[in-house]
Each structure stands twice: as structure tokens, then as C-alpha cells.
């Protein structure tokens, strides 16, 4: 009980703090990425939301010999020479990478909104999440990352196609000395403008209260490339236009992905609970008891082949009266009674509760390191995040589907003497979404970054065990979650092998 009130108090303090000002990303001063390739064939890669890259046309640019273009070029040259300290700060900030910066901004917003709806003791009601103030718990967070990165990837495939179709020379080839590293690809349309605009519009749809913040970021991002000497205004305008056309299509997909009903406003989950094929049913351990988190999130539209995902069915969990279950429960009890310092560290690190990036965001942060170390250009970085985040959302969806099929109780519901190291999630136990998401991520990333496969496997194993160490999951939750996650990761790998990227 004491832990509960401490948690509520800290949560209220954090809500008050984030309500006072925008949270900031502080992940240290990072060096510029030096891309190892230009991926000149990127315009032929398979798109995600668009049926074909040709669904969005980019108009032919003015000739570089035209008076209008020459004036743009002269203005940029003069602007680079007269850049202010504030402009240079913006140039350096965005030169770290358009995809990476907007992924950081998404993580920042997820952390800000990753606060569960509160309980009103006066009315005895749980405060519902508002559409303009969404609760960015695990299913919503991973959806944010998936929609954002799919949009960024498609925008860049369209941009890459137009770049090499029209082949407007980079400004560096026309004598402009840039203030930041610029990938040696044709300048029209601007890849940064495309990422800025589509990221802004998709995130604004997902976080309606943040429109002003996002528009300011996008405006600075686009203008920074002109200040840097990387683009002329017509490059930026073309990137912005293609992104606006794409954003409409991405948002249309979001409106139809069935997430809008995931909160189950008519409480159909209670009927499913009564019919659940398990001998003892889950109940909320919150004080007071509350409805579970997004009980219909298991019905959200998947990104990869839904038929294949539906066929990945975990084993039936052991009944509470079985010897296997009693053995699993005893293991949780014994670990909780003699939890080591390292087990507590692991439980805490992978917990990702309120006011964090969520688990999927942590994997995005870890992936940023691989992108930087491998020198991925904007297009390839977007592909990495798109493959990863779509797979993690599907793993979350499949996990939620299992949880609200069996309604297996958390260990401390069966044995109240079990003391947990973290807050108990207000969801059924089987299967572990943490194990599923982490195994999915490790499987896909090991394909993209094979030299790091051993490290990734170790991270996924640790993440899977973290719930057991915390006292919130049984080992069979983790084992079946890992199997499901690995299988979905393999579906993502299969898709990556045929998307056209070499």
C-alpha cells in the first residue's frame, strides 16, 4: 500500500513537472554520422503505406541554368556566409540526422504522455484518456514509432526516386561550402524537408496538443538546411509537398487501424473474461481495481502478414492446479524472496514504466547506436526503424491478443506474499509482451547488424527475464513470449530480404 501511494505521488509530481514545460532530450553531445553509402537505387525500394512509389509524383524542377534557380543559389551562398550563431546551432542540431532527431522527438512525446489515466477519489471513477491527451502506454507508444518510421521511410523512397530521376546537382558540386556534412546525392527534393514535414504531420495527428511545438521544430529543421548550404528553397518546397501528400495517406491508415476501439468503451473485455479458457481468472491488482489497459489492442491491424501472425499461437498456459504451474509460481516466489542486486537492476532497466520512452522506445534508442556505428544514411536509417517498429507493434498486438484470451493472473494475485520489484502492470500475465517485443527486435536487428547479433541476443534474453526477476511474470510467460517474438521478427526479416535494399 505504501509503495502504491509513493508511486501515485511521484507520478503526480512528474505530471506537474511536464505540464510546466516541454521535456528535453539530453542524450549527450553526439558526433555527426558519416554515411557509408548513398543507396542510389533507393527510389526502387518497396514502399510500406504507398502501394507504389509512383503514387506520389514530384514535379520536374527548374533548370539549374534558369535565372530563378541561380538567384536561389546566390542567396544560399550569401546566407551561409552571414549565418548567425543561433542559425549555426540549429544547423548542427539537425545535421545529426533528420530521421534520428525526429525519432528522438517522438520518444520525448511518448515519455511526456506515458502516464496512465488517474483515479478520481471524489467520484470513484477512473479518468478516461482524452483523444487530445493520449495515454502513451505500450500499445500506443509502439504505434507512434511504427507510423512515424513507416511515413519517414516512404517519404524518403519517393524523394530518392525523384533525386536520381531529375539529378539536380548537390550544392557542394556547385561551389557551396556547407556548414555541415551533406550526403553526396542530388539535392532535389530535400530529404530533410520530406522527413520534417511528414514527421510533423503524423506526430501532430497522434499528439494533437503538440501541434505548435511540432510545427516550430519542422520549420527550424527545414530552414536549417538552407542555412547549412545543403538545399535551396525549391529543394525544400518539393520535399515538403511530397511529404504532405504522403502524410494524408499515413493518417488515413492510422484512422482505419482499429486502434480507436482498443480502449473498449463498452467493456466487452468483461464478457471475454467470463469466457476465458483458464481455471482462475485475472483481476486488477490496482487499488482500487481498474479496467485493464487497452483490452482490445490485440485486434489492431498488423503491418506484416496477418494470416501468418495469426498462425503463431503460443502453447496453452498450465492450469493453476498443475505441477508445472506450481513449479513456475515457486520460482517467482523464491526469486522475490532472495532477489539479487543484479536481478533488481535488470528488472528496473527493462521496466520502462510511466514517463519513459516505453520498451519499444528503449529499443529505438538502442538502435540509434547501431545506425550511427554503421554510418547509415537517412534512407537506410528510416528503413531500419520502419522494419523494426512495425515488427514490434505486431508483437505487441499479438501479445495483447493472448493476454485477453486467457486472462492468466499475475503471480502476486495467486500468492500475495510475493513482493515485486516494479509496479505490477494492470494487464493479464500470459504472454510476456516484454519478451515478445524484445525477441522481435533482436531477431530483426541481428539480420540488419549481424556483427552485433550476440550482443542483441543477450539483451533480448535479459529483457525477457526481467519480468521474472521483478516478480510480475512466470517463466512460461517469458518463454512463450520469446517464441512468438522470434517468429514475428523472422517475418520482418523475410520482408526485408525482398524490399529491394541490398
Amino acid at each position: 500500500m505504501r509503495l502504491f501511494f509513493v508511486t501515485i505521488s511521484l507520478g503526480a509530481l512528474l505530471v506537474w513537472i511536464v505540464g510546466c514545460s516541454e521535456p528535453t532530450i539530453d542524450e549527450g553531445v553526439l558526433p555527426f554520422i558519416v554515411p557509408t553509402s548513398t543507396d542510389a537505387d533507393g527510389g526502387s525500394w518497396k514502399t510500406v503505406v504507398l502501394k507504389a512509389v509512383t503514387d506520389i509524383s514530384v514535379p520536374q524542377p527548374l533548370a539549374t541554368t534558369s535565372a530563378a534557380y541561380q538567384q536561389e543559389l546566390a542567396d544560399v551562398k550569401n546566407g551561409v556566409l552571414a549565418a548567425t550563431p543561433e542559425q549555426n546551432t540549429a544547423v548542427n542540431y539537425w545535421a545529426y540526422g533528420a530521421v534520428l532527431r525526429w525519432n528522438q522527438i517522438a520518444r520525448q512525446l511518448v515519455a511526456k504522455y506515458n502516464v496512465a489515466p488517474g483515479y478520481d477519489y471524489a467520484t470513484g471513477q477512473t479518468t478516461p484518456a482524452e483523444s487530445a491527451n493520449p495515454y502513451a502506454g505500450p500499445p500506443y507508444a509502439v504505434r507512434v514509432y511504427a507510423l512515424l518510421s513507416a511515413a519517414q521511410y516512404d517519404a524518403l523512397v519517393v524523394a530518392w526516386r525523384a533525386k536520381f530521376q531529375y539529378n539536380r546537382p548537390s550544392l557542394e558540386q556547385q561551389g557551396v561550402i556547407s556548414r555541415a556534412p551533406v550526403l553526396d546525392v542530388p539535392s532535389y527534393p530535400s530529404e530533410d524537408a520530406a522527413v520534417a514535414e511528414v514527421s510533423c504531420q503524423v506526430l501532430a495527428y497522434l499528439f494533437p496538443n503538440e501541434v505548435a511545438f511540432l510545427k516550430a521544430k519542422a520549420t527550424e529543421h527545414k530552414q536549417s538546411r538552407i542555412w547549412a548550404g545543403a538545399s535551396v528553397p525549391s529543394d525544400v518546397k518539393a520535399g515538403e509537398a511530397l511529404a504532405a501528400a504522403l502524410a494524408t495517406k499515413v493518417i488515413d491508415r492510422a484512422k482505419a487501424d482499429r486502434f480507436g476501439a482498443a480502449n473498449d468503451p463498452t467493456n466487452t473485455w468483461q464478457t471475454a473474461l467470463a469466457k476465458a479458457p483458464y481455471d482462475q481468472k485475472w483481476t486488477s491488482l490496482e487499488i482500487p481495481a481498474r479496467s485493464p489497459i487497452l483490452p482490445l489492442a490485440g485486434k489492431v491491424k498488423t503491418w506484416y502478414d496477418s494470416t501468418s501472425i495469426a498462425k503463431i499461437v503460443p502453447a496453452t498456459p498450465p492450469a493453476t492446479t498443475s505441477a508445472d504451474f506450481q513449479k513456475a509460481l515457486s520460482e517467482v516466489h523464491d526469486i522475490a524472496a532472495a532477489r539479487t542486486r543484479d536481478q533488481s537492476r535488470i528488472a528496473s532497466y527493462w521496466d520502462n514504466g510511466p514517463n519513459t520512452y516505453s520498451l519499444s522506445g528503449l529499443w529505438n534508442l538502442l538502435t540509434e547506436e547501431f545506425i550511427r556505428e554503421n554510418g547509415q544514411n537517412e534512407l537506410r536509417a528510416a528503413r531500419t526503424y520502419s522494419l523494426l517498429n512495425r515488427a514490434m507493434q505486431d508483437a505487441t498486438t499479438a501479445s495483447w491478443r493472448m493476454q485477453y484470451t486467457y486472462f492468466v493472473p499475475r503471480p502476486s494475485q495467486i500468492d500475495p506474499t510475493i513482493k515485486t520489484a516494479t509496479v505490477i502492470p494492470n494487464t493479464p500475465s500470459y504472454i510476456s509482451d516484454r519478451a515478445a517485443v524484445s525477441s522481435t527486435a533482436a531477431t530483426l536487428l541481428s539480420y540488419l547488424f549481424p556483427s552485433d547479433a550476440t550482443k542483441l541476443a543477450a539483451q533480448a534474453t535479459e529483457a525477457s527475464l526481467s519480468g521474472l526477476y521483478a516478480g510480475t511474470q512466470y517463466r512460461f510467460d517469458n518463454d512463450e513470449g520469446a517464441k512468438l517474438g522470434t517468429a514475428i521478427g523472422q517475418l520482418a526479416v523475410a520482408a526485408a530480404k525482398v524490399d529491394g535494399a541490398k
Side-chain angles (χ1 to χ4, degrees):
M1 178 68 77
R2 183 178 179 182
L3 174 61
F4 173 78
F5 282 117
V6 169
T7 303
I8 292 295
S9 299
L10 287 175
L13 176 61
L14 288 169
V15 169
W16 178 81
I17 290 172
V18 298
C20 292
S21 61
E22 292 294 343
T24 56
I25 293 287
D26 184 8
E27 295 174 356
V29 178
L30 301 169
F32 296 137
I33 292 176
V34 181
T36 56
S37 68
T38 57
D39 285 317
D41 64 342
S44 64
W45 294 359
K46 187 175 181 181
T47 50
V48 176
V49 177
L50 297 176
K51 293 181 180 177
V53 65
T54 51
D55 286 355
I56 294 178
S57 60
V58 178
Q60 184 170 348
L62 292 172
T64 55
T65 54
S66 68
Y69 180 80
Q70 286 301 315
Q71 184 61 55
E72 283 191 316
L73 193 61
D75 291 344
V76 169
K77 286 181 178 177
N78 293 333
V80 171
L81 295 174
T84 66
E86 291 77 15
Q87 291 172 345
N88 284 331
T89 297
V91 166
N92 291 332
Y93 174 82
W94 290 106
Y96 176 62
V99 169
L100 295 184
R101 283 300 187 203
W102 281 99
N103 187 275
Q104 290 178 349
I105 289 169
R107 298 201 303 265
Q108 175 183 359
L109 294 176
V110 165
K112 179 176 180 179
Y113 288 91
N114 187 3
V115 182
Y119 181 79
D120 189 332
Y121 284 88
T123 63
Q125 299 293 320
T126 300
T127 305
E130 303 169 3
S131 59
N133 187 32
Y135 165 42
Y140 196 85
V142 74
R143 178 175 178 248
V144 169
Y145 301 127
L147 286 167
L148 173 67
S149 51
Q152 291 176 336
Y153 170 72
D154 275 11
L156 287 170
V157 173
V158 174
W160 242 249
R161 179 175 184 272
K163 281 176 179 290
F164 289 91
Q165 175 185 3
Y166 298 125
N167 207 25
R168 176 184 275 185
S170 69
L171 271 61
E172 186 175 30
Q173 290 182 9
Q174 300 179 72
V176 178
I177 300 175
S178 174
R179 288 188 171 274
V182 178
L183 186 66
D184 185 21
V185 293
S187 70
Y188 178 94
S190 163
E191 63 269 39
D192 281 78
V195 172
E197 186 64 25
V198 82
S199 300
C200 173
Q201 292 202 26
V202 171
L203 290 176
Y205 169 76
L206 295 165
F207 298 102
N209 281 345
E210 303 295 335
V211 171
F213 165 72
L214 292 164
K215 284 187 175 179
K217 282 290 186 186
T219 298
E220 179 189 81
H221 183 186
K222 288 178 274 190
Q223 190 61 42
S224 77
R225 301 307 286 172
I226 296 174
W227 294 333
S231 305
V232 298
S234 57
D235 296 334
V236 171
K237 185 177 180 181
E240 189 177 55
L242 78 86
L246 172 63
T248 300
K249 298 179 184 296
V250 175
I251 291 170
D252 284 345
R253 186 199 186 278
K255 290 177 179 175
D257 69 0
R258 298 191 287 270
F259 199 93
N263 201 38
D264 195 11
T266 58
N267 287 319
T268 61
W269 68 272
Q270 294 177 342
T271 302
L273 175 67
K275 296 180 178 177
Y278 201 63
D279 62 328
Q280 187 164 339
K281 306 297 184 355
W282 171 86
T283 185
S284 172
L285 299 179
E286 299 271 332
I287 303 173
R290 305 181 191 184
S291 295
I293 300 170
L294 298 171
L296 298 187
K299 296 185 177 182
V300 172
K301 184 178 179 181
T302 59
W303 290 94
Y304 294 101
D305 181 28
S306 59
T307 302
S308 297
I309 293 174
K311 291 178 180 177
I312 308 170
V313 180
T316 301
T320 59
T321 53
S322 68
D324 286 344
F325 182 89
Q326 292 303 319
K327 180 181 178 182
L329 183 63
S330 293
E331 183 181 25
V332 180
H333 180 278
D334 292 346
I335 289 174
R339 187 177 290 116
T340 67
R341 181 172 296 183
D342 197 46
Q343 288 171 337
S344 294
R345 176 193 63 78
I346 291 170
S348 176
Y349 178 78
W350 293 101
D351 180 45
N352 296 285
N355 286 121
T356 70
Y357 300 155
S358 191
L359 176 64
S360 52
L362 174 59
W363 277 105
N364 274 264
L365 172 63
L366 297 174
T367 301
E368 182 176 324
E369 176 186 341
F370 298 128
I371 289 172
R372 292 178 58 246
E373 290 178 350
N374 287 270
Q376 291 196 335
N377 60 47
E378 295 288 6
L379 174 60
R380 197 161 283 265
R383 173 178 178 261
T384 295
Y385 272 140
S386 174
L387 289 164
L388 171 69
N389 286 315
R390 287 183 288 132
M392 289 198 297
Q393 186 180 3
D394 284 359
T396 302
T397 299
S399 299
W400 242 247
R401 178 163 51 85
M402 286 297 102
Q403 289 175 2
Y404 293 95
T405 297
Y406 289 104
F407 287 90
V408 174
R410 294 280 174 178
S412 48
Q413 180 183 332
I414 304 294
D415 180 355
T417 68
I418 293 175
K419 293 181 173 58
T420 63
T422 61
V423 173
I424 304 168
N426 193 35
T427 57
S429 183
Y430 182 84
I431 58 174
S432 165
D433 56 302
R434 191 181 303 181
V437 167
S438 297
S439 298
T440 296
T443 301
L444 185 276
L445 293 173
S446 294
Y447 168 72
L448 298 176
F449 307 105
S451 62
D452 292 298
T454 301
K455 175 181 178 181
L456 286 159
Q459 289 175 315
T461 298
E462 189 177 276
S464 297
L465 287 170
S466 64
L468 175 63
Y469 293 159
T472 60
Q473 304 271 185
Y474 312 96
R475 186 177 289 275
F476 60 78
D477 294 337
N478 302 333
D479 291 346
E480 292 301 322
K483 288 179 185 176
L484 182 143
T486 301
I488 292 178
Q490 289 168 345
L491 286 178
V493 170
K497 288 180 177 177
V498 297
D499 69 0
K502 299 174 183 175

